[in-house]
């Protein structure tokens, strides 16, 4: 009996690669292969060797095929969703010249500030790209490289994002998509192309950059013979342009022009991310005004400190993740890696409000509250800037995704601080599922958001709202507002 066609969606994140094998017709996950990454660096530096990403991709695909028990010949397409903003510089043979600078490398904060001023301020940047440079943005990382490692910058024969690098290894084609490109700081969301004024400002030749495909589901090539041998897959299968991890998660949720518009999402992972797919092109210094991968927009705000920071506090206290209690008078801002939203790149964690009666579980609860508050206030700003509250988004359920969405304490903390109804999708690998929908659409020519919506990957448990803990909200807001000048 012939095997049903299978597609592979790849989630190449900061910490690991996941390769999800899915039934191309129904979206039913068959298996997820995993392989870890290594992140190096201290004092603000965060780097990874892109060759290890490629090796991890091969390991994850092999593990997925073995777990699924399907023949490699059944695979018809593959797409990669990757961590955003990372800077990969290549030599003429397509090999990395140095480790990639990752999104959470904060050494480029001075370059981000200088770039903002050089163009004429935040408004000038948002008018062109939809976003203001911060340390995370690729443009700031390129300037850091240009200034601190000029030999590597001058030797670069290619400049890529993490997902671009892997897609090029698969198809032999230098390609990206509007979604991930919109996070570079040199792509104009207003015109849908690289901005020559910004490239000149950055000292970056556009010949070093990949072509921008129409969507993340565009077939940009076929799996090369060498890539097929490395991955154990058939040569010639469809390779989609792919996209950034946040854009793929939106596809996996069925958010976009052919699905849900203006529905808010909170992703609880290493970073905390809030976004909504909309037809409104945002232009606010408070937001990352990204493009979605399907032609809509994906206004987004990202915090650096979320689950990893809270887990670190739990480890320091010797407590389990769910040993937390509401923080009481204690306020803990767990900005252990600086912070991106609000823009406090050199900040450290801040603890205040201790009493003799304060307990360890309350301190852990305060860390949850500080992280959740930071993300939820960013969501309030996003909805306000995009005019989505007036459109009714304030009463729409907040979709909660990411690793934290599987944690009881995270869910209850978000419910209590937001006062919103929640939907927790049953699917646990939305980034990889979104990438799988891109792969399926590259094979079929269908719309990827419509494909994911038909698969039902964004469906899940609905939780009714609880009374908002305004006392905790106001207490944390007061501390952050008063401390921000010191944290800078």
């Amino acid at each position: 009996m012939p095997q049903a066609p299978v597609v592979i969606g790849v989630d190449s994140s900061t910490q690991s690669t996941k390769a999800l094998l899915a039934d191309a017709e129904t979206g039913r996950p068959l298996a997820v292969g995993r392989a870890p990454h290594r992140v190096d660096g201290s004092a603000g530096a965060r780097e990874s060797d892109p060759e290890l990403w490629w090796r991890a991709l091969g390991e994850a695909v092999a593990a997925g095929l073995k777990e699924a028990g399907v023949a490699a010949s059944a695979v018809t397409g593959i797409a990669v969703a990757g961590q955003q903003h990372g800077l990969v510089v290549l030599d003429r043979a397509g090999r990395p010249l140095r480790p990639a600078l990752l999104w959470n490398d904060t050494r480029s904060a001075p370059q981000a500030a200088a770039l903002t001023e050089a163009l004429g301020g935040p408004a000038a940047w948002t008018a062109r790209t939809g976003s203001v440079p911060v340390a995370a943005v690729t443009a700031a990382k390129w300037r850091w490289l240009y200034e601190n490692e000029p030999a590597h910058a001058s030797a670069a024969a290619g400049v890529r994002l993490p997902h671009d690098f892997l897609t090029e290894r698969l198809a032999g084609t230098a390609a990206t998509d509007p979604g991930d490109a919109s996070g570079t700081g040199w792509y104009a969301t207003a015109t849908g192309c690289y901005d020559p004024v910004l490239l000149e400002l950055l000292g970056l030749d556009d010949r070093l950059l990949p072509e921008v495909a129409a969507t993340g589901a565009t077939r940009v090539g076929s799996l090369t013979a060498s890539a097929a041998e490395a991955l154990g897959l058939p040569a010639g299968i469809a390779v989609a342009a792919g996209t950034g991890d946040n854009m793929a998660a939106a596809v996996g949720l069925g958010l976009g022009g052919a699905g849900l518009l203006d529905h808010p999402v909170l992703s609880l992972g290493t970073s905390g991310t809030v976004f909504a797919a909309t037809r409104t092109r945002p232009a606010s210094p408070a937001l990352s005004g990204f493009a979605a991968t399907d032609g809509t927009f994906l206004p987004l705000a990202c915090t650096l400190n979320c689950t990893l920071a809270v887990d670190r506090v739990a480890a320091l206290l010797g407590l389990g993740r769910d040993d937390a209690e509401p923080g009481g008078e204690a306020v803990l801002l767990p900005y252990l890696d600086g912070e991106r939203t609000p823009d406090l790149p050199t900040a450290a964690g801040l603890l205040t409000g201790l009493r003799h009666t304060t307990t360890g579980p309350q301190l852990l609860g305060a860390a949850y509250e500080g992280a959740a508050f930071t993300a939820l206030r960013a969501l309030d700003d996003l909805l306000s800037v995009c005019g989505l509250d007036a459109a009714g988004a304030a009463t729409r359920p907040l979709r909660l995704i990411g690793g934290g969405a599987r944690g009881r304490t995270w869910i209850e903390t978000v419910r209590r601080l937001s006062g919103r109804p929640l939907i927790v999708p049953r699917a646990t690998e939305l980034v990889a599922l979104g990438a799988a929908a891109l792969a399926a659409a590259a094979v079929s020519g269908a719309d990827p958001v419509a494909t994911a919506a038909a698969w039902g990957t964004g469906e899940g448990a609905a939780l009714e709202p609880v009374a908002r803990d305004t006392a905790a909200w106001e207490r944390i807001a007061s501390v952050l507002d008063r401390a921000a000048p010191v944290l800078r």
Side-chain angles (χ1 to χ4, degrees), residues 5-107:
V6 172
V7 289
I8 298 178
V10 177
D11 174 5
S12 181
S13 70
T14 313
Q15 302 294 331
S16 67
T17 292
K18 301 173 187 176
L20 182 144
L21 280 70
D23 184 299
E25 296 176 355
T26 67
R28 181 174 64 89
L30 305 174
V32 180
R34 294 175 171 83
H37 295 170
R38 193 182 78 212
V39 178
D40 298 314
S42 60
R46 295 292 184 274
E47 300 182 347
S48 287
D49 181 357
E51 293 291 355
L52 297 182
W53 299 339
W54 176 244
R55 190 179 308 163
L57 176 55
E59 293 171 0
V61 168
L65 285 170
K66 182 178 180 180
E67 181 184 340
V70 300
S73 58
V75 177
T76 59
I78 187 169
V80 176
Q83 55 178 306
Q84 288 190 252
H85 304 308
L87 176 66
V88 181
V89 286
L90 304 177
D91 64 16
R92 295 187 181 279
R95 295 185 298 263
L97 287 166
R98 69 176 314 284
L101 299 172
L102 303 185
W103 64 275
N104 53 352
D105 189 314
T106 57
R107 290 175 293 176

Side-chain angles (χ1 to χ4, degrees), residues 101-475:
L101 299 172
L102 303 185
W103 64 275
N104 53 352
D105 189 314
T106 57
R107 290 175 293 176
S108 49
Q111 286 73 26
L115 286 171
T116 301
E117 183 178 355
L119 193 66
W125 278 93
T126 54
R128 288 181 175 274
T129 70
S131 306
V132 179
V134 293
V137 171
T138 324
K141 298 185 187 304
W142 171 256
R143 284 304 303 180
W144 183 91
L145 189 76
Y146 191 89
E147 295 169 14
N148 291 274
E149 300 179 10
H152 283 138
S154 62
V159 173
R160 305 287 185 265
L161 295 166
H163 115 261
D164 304 344
F165 169 76
L166 293 171
T167 301
E168 187 169 3
R169 281 289 175 92
L170 293 172
T173 303
T176 190
D177 85 299
D180 214 6
S182 68
T184 59
W186 55 69
Y187 176 89
T189 54
T191 60
C193 61
Y194 295 130
D195 189 313
V197 172
L198 297 179
L199 292 175
E200 183 176 1
L201 176 66
L202 294 166
L204 180 59
D205 190 331
D206 63 356
R207 290 175 295 183
L208 302 181
L209 302 176
E211 292 292 324
V212 183
T215 75
T218 301
R219 181 171 181 161
V220 295
S222 301
L223 193 66
T224 66
S226 59
E229 182 178 1
L231 301 182
L233 295 174
I237 65 171
V239 177
T243 192
D245 51 5
N246 292 300
M247 293 77 190
V251 172
L253 287 165
L255 272 60
L260 298 172
L261 288 169
D262 304 334
H263 284 245
V265 178
L266 168 55
S267 176
L268 299 168
T270 302
S271 61
T273 307
V274 292
F275 58 87
T278 176
R279 295 197 185 279
T280 302
R281 179 183 176 271
S284 166
L287 299 179
S288 294
F290 294 144
T293 199
D294 73 333
T296 58
F297 294 97
L298 198 74
L300 179 149
C302 179
T303 69
L304 285 182
N305 300 275
C306 196
T307 59
L308 199 62
V310 173
D311 283 350
R312 179 57 179 155
V313 173
L316 288 171
L317 295 170
L319 297 174
R321 289 175 176 170
D322 289 325
D323 290 336
E325 298 174 359
E329 293 183 62
V331 173
L332 202 168
L333 301 177
Y335 299 165
L336 308 188
D337 287 314
E339 189 45 77
R340 174 173 170 179
T341 305
D343 186 16
L344 302 168
T346 62
L350 176 68
L351 172 63
T352 187
L354 286 179
R355 300 290 186 185
H356 283 291
T357 55
T358 303
T359 67
Q362 285 178 319
L363 289 182
L364 180 56
Y368 275 100
E369 290 170 354
F373 167 87
T374 304
L376 288 169
R377 188 154 80 163
L379 177 62
D380 287 347
D381 292 342
L382 182 152
L383 296 175
S384 176
V385 165
C386 294
L388 298 182
D389 277 331
T395 60
R396 292 175 182 154
L398 174 61
R399 283 166 168 78
L400 200 62
I401 65 172
R406 305 297 147 188
R408 174 178 57 82
T409 303
W410 275 113
I411 292 173
E412 293 308 315
T413 303
V414 170
R415 289 182 82 190
R416 180 163 55 86
L417 290 183
S418 72
R420 285 178 175 270
L422 302 184
I423 291 178
V424 183
R426 286 185 292 272
T428 58
E429 303 294 349
L430 284 162
V431 172
L433 278 167
L438 296 178
V443 175
S444 69
D447 183 282
V449 172
T451 297
W455 288 353
T457 52
E459 298 173 359
L463 302 176
E464 293 298 319
V466 298
R468 189 174 192 182
D469 189 343
T470 55
W473 183 275
E474 291 170 1
R475 182 171 61 250

